[in-house]
Amino acid sequence: MIELENVAYSYGGGELLTDMSLRLPPGSFHFLTGPSGAGKTTFLKLCYGALVPTAGHLRMFDKDVREIDRDGIAMARRRIGVVHQDCQFLDHLPVAENIALPLAVSGQDKLEAQADLKELLNWVGLSSRANAYPPELSGGERQRAALARALILSPDVVLADEPTGNVDWDMSQRLLRLLVELNKMGKTIMIATHDLSLIRAAKPHVQARVLRISNRRLQLAGADL
Amino acid sequence: MKDYLAAFLDLFGGDSQADRVVPPTGFTARLTLFTAGAMAFLAVFALALSLASGRLASNWRDALAGSATLRISAPAEQMAAQTERALRILSETPGVAEARALSPEEQRALLEPWFGPDLPVESLPVPQLIEVRESGQGYDGDGLRLRLQAELPGAVLDDHTRWRRPLVQAAGRLKILGWAAILLIFGAMGAMITLAANAALAANAQVIQVLRLIGATDAYIAGAFVRRFTLRALAGAALGMVVGLLAILFLPSASAEASILTGLGFQGLHWFWPLLVPPLAGLVAFFATRWAAMRVLGGLR
């Protein structure tokens, strides 16, 4: 799926990430931890092709990211669902249309899409908020809407950047359950979070690898948790 | 080129969802409509000017080509004999279809604007004028001048080239200026639409970011902006064209003299030329917006 080999990323003369090697096999579940500013978001951006490594090799779906053109990156992103902490929406479109945007962008059949959308809205518990506009949603509802949008194309990989950052404990547990459920469906999941309690809460339900970014390097951190 | 063609055809196919991803932007919409309308209005006038100049140049060329004037200056007692001789020379000159001496009444009529109606032409040493019409093949002007110089030293052949050429040249240049103005108008329209598109793209940076994140291609994102700006430019230019045509229609009609001011307008099939203005404006908007969008998108990953 996504494979990093001695990847480094520099910006403005300074190296932000160095010597990172990782393989995200199908159906795996990873947590990525580290203090704020450690480079978790940068790492995820590398994984979905928003940034290009300055050294090493990063392969997305068996292709080196440097050899993928702009359209190729767009196509790859249809196979990678991304959820950001500050989930961005098109505020002038209702929630349902925002969630269905990836379908429109990829030119999928509208009738079939309607059925998928309805099912997904139900699954994330937003059926009653389908016609609301994003600014009217609470933090938890926004996170669930972002997750629904990331999933509508049934991607192979879901990358979530601090998905529980703006929600209370109950909502973070609910989101975590959704992500675990997705993993059980065979999706590859990576969650970047600084919230160690979230990782502990997930432990009984899923077999996850816990990685930590420390001193610009990627380390296996499972023993600490 | 294939990308451009596909994007252009996509304009007519449309994608209502893609159109909805860009939020309505009142400011850039009004700016594009106004710019396209104003520029189309000016383009219609520039087109009218250019076509009228071309017509005028052609009229002057046709009216004055093929005619010449022979002016005979001689003492009064020799005037009749020299006139007769000149007419004989002209009748023997190949390429001269007709030569006719102007009557005193006709000469008086020519001088009337300067000297009034009571001028006693007969008692004044006014040169005799002979109107010369050439046949289709034309005559040898230099040869005729040499012969006249030898046989009638007081005769001067004026084939109007001296003052016809600068007039035709001036009208020709006016026509070129008209076309240059049209090019500049469309160039300015392109520049303004590019600025408006850039403003819209900057205002919608978040929309673009979201679309890239969910896997939209550059063509999809650019298409949403291109469609919007092209259709606005088309609508604005159509309105500007109609107003321009109405303004031209209500201009004073051409007089017999067909001066440039009274002759400004369209004639016959020329009335269809302004119909090209809105599609051209749409084309300019299409390329300007696509260029602006691709430039902005090229800077994002």
Side-chain angles (χ1 to χ4, degrees):
Chain A
M1 295 265 167
I2 296 172
E3 204 174 339
L4 294 87
E5 193 185 324
N6 305 117
V7 163
Y9 181 74
S10 304
Y11 182 77
E15 199 168 53
L16 303 182
L17 300 172
T18 189
D19 197 24
M20 299 210 150
S21 295
L22 177 71
R23 195 172 154 264
L24 294 183
S28 61
F29 199 116
H30 287 79
F31 280 106
L32 181 66
T33 66
S36 290
K40 299 189 290 292
T41 302
T42 303
F43 182 85
L44 289 188
K45 282 186 173 176
L46 284 166
C47 288
Y48 65 84
L51 296 174
V52 181
T54 46
H57 294 283
L58 193 152
R59 278 180 285 278
M60 290 168 78
F61 307 108
D62 301 324
K63 279 186 194 158
D64 193 299
V65 78
R66 288 195 191 87
E67 288 161 15
I68 308 177
D69 63 11
R70 295 179 57 77
D71 281 354
I73 289 288
M75 296 304 155
R77 282 191 194 150
R78 293 176 191 178
R79 299 177 66 185
I80 303 174
V82 182
V83 184
H84 275 295
Q85 178 180 6
D86 56 337
C87 24
Q88 293 178 330
F89 294 100
L90 306 189
D91 289 345
H92 63 288
L93 296 181
V95 170
E97 275 192 60
N98 263 288
I99 294 173
L101 260 184
L103 289 167
V105 159
S106 59
Q108 293 206 8
D109 179 66
K110 283 185 181 163
L111 274 177
E112 206 175 298
Q114 280 300 320
D116 289 348
L117 179 64
K118 214 170 165 186
E119 195 181 329
L120 199 56
L121 279 168
N122 205 28
W123 188 67
V124 294
L126 285 176
S127 295
S128 59
R129 305 291 278 152
N131 295 320
Y133 284 85
E136 297 165 10
L137 299 184
S138 68
E141 286 172 332
R142 285 176 75 86
Q143 289 292 350
R144 280 181 283 148
L147 183 61
R149 186 180 66 190
L151 297 176
I152 190 99
L153 286 178
S154 191
D156 302 310
V157 182
V158 177
L159 303 175
D161 188 6
E162 301 282 4
T164 58
N166 288 333
V167 296
D168 58 28
W169 174 252
D170 285 343
M171 184 52 69
S172 72
Q173 292 307 297
R174 193 170 166 188
L175 280 166
L176 182 63
R177 275 198 299 277
L178 290 172
L179 289 164
V180 167
E181 207 176 313
L182 277 173
N183 179 244
K184 291 201 162 76
M185 293 175 197
K187 309 288 180 196
T188 305
I189 310 283
M190 175 173 262
I191 302 173
T193 181
H194 67 276
D195 182 2
L196 299 183
S197 62
L198 184 75
I199 302 172
R200 286 189 199 105
K203 246 187 163 181
H205 309 290
V206 68
Q207 196 176 0
R209 267 179 99 190
V210 183
L211 307 164
R212 182 168 57 200
I213 297 179
S214 179
N215 294 326
R216 297 175 284 127
R217 290 169 195 276
L218 199 60
Q219 299 166 345
L220 193 63
D224 303 344
L225 303 160
Chain B
M1 193 64 209
K2 233 165 79 178
D3 287 351
Y4 276 107
L5 192 65
F8 192 70
L9 291 175
D10 205 32
L11 274 179
F12 304 102
D15 179 343
S16 57
Q17 181 64 40
D19 292 346
R20 279 170 56 78
V21 298
V22 183
T25 44
F27 167 68
T28 54
R30 282 194 293 275
L31 187 67
T32 314
L33 267 173
F34 174 76
T35 302
M39 291 300 175
F41 180 81
L42 293 176
V44 169
F45 268 89
L47 193 62
L49 174 74
S50 191
L51 291 173
S53 311
R55 222 164 35 235
L56 215 58
S58 159
N59 284 348
W60 284 337
R61 202 179 296 119
D62 293 349
L64 297 171
S67 74
T69 307
L70 186 64
R71 194 172 69 241
I72 298 167
S73 302
E77 64 276 13
Q78 292 177 25
M79 187 62 89
Q82 290 209 13
T83 304
E84 199 173 320
R85 199 158 170 196
L87 286 169
R88 202 183 64 242
I89 291 170
L90 288 167
S91 68
E92 290 166 359
T93 305
V96 172
E98 189 195 341
R100 184 180 68 85
L102 263 60
S103 65
E105 288 72 31
E106 285 175 305
Q107 299 218 140
R108 188 180 292 114
L110 285 174
L111 293 169
E112 196 180 296
W114 288 274
F115 299 107
D118 303 324
L119 184 72
V121 175
E122 297 82 357
S123 60
L124 287 172
V126 176
Q128 173 65 52
L129 298 178
I130 295 176
E131 188 187 4
V132 182
R133 292 248 157 237
E134 64 182 74
S135 62
Q137 69 192 55
Y139 60 86
D140 173 10
D142 293 337
L144 180 60
R145 268 192 199 93
L146 281 173
R147 190 175 171 193
L148 288 168
Q149 208 173 11
E151 297 186 29
L152 288 168
V156 177
L157 179 69
D158 178 6
D159 60 3
H160 309 146
T161 310
R162 203 157 31 96
W163 64 279
R164 185 182 66 194
R165 188 175 294 153
L167 274 180
V168 171
Q169 266 179 356
R173 282 190 188 145
L174 212 54
K175 182 181 171 179
I176 293 170
L177 271 177
W179 285 110
I182 291 171
L183 279 181
L184 284 174
I185 285 167
F186 279 106
M189 190 195 296
M192 284 192 193
I193 290 176
T194 303
L195 286 175
N198 270 327
L201 287 159
N204 289 297
Q206 188 185 325
V207 171
I208 294 171
Q209 212 174 335
V210 169
L211 290 172
R212 286 291 302 165
L213 187 71
I214 59 170
T217 57
D218 287 350
Y220 182 90
I221 301 170
F225 287 91
V226 167
R227 254 191 307 279
R228 186 164 288 195
F229 277 86
T230 304
L231 296 176
R232 276 178 200 159
L234 260 175
L239 199 69
M241 179 206 66
V242 170
V243 176
L245 278 176
L246 286 174
I248 295 262
L249 196 67
F250 289 112
L251 273 179
S253 60
S255 67
E257 290 81 22
S259 77
I260 188 68
L261 287 175
T262 54
L264 187 67
F266 301 107
Q267 283 180 8
L269 289 176
H270 285 173
W271 280 102
F272 290 100
W273 277 71
L275 295 179
L276 291 176
V277 171
L280 273 175
L283 215 58
V284 166
F286 171 83
F287 283 108
T289 316
R290 190 171 165 86
W291 179 76
M294 286 305 192
R295 210 169 56 98
V296 169
L297 292 169
L300 306 168
R301 177 100 179 151

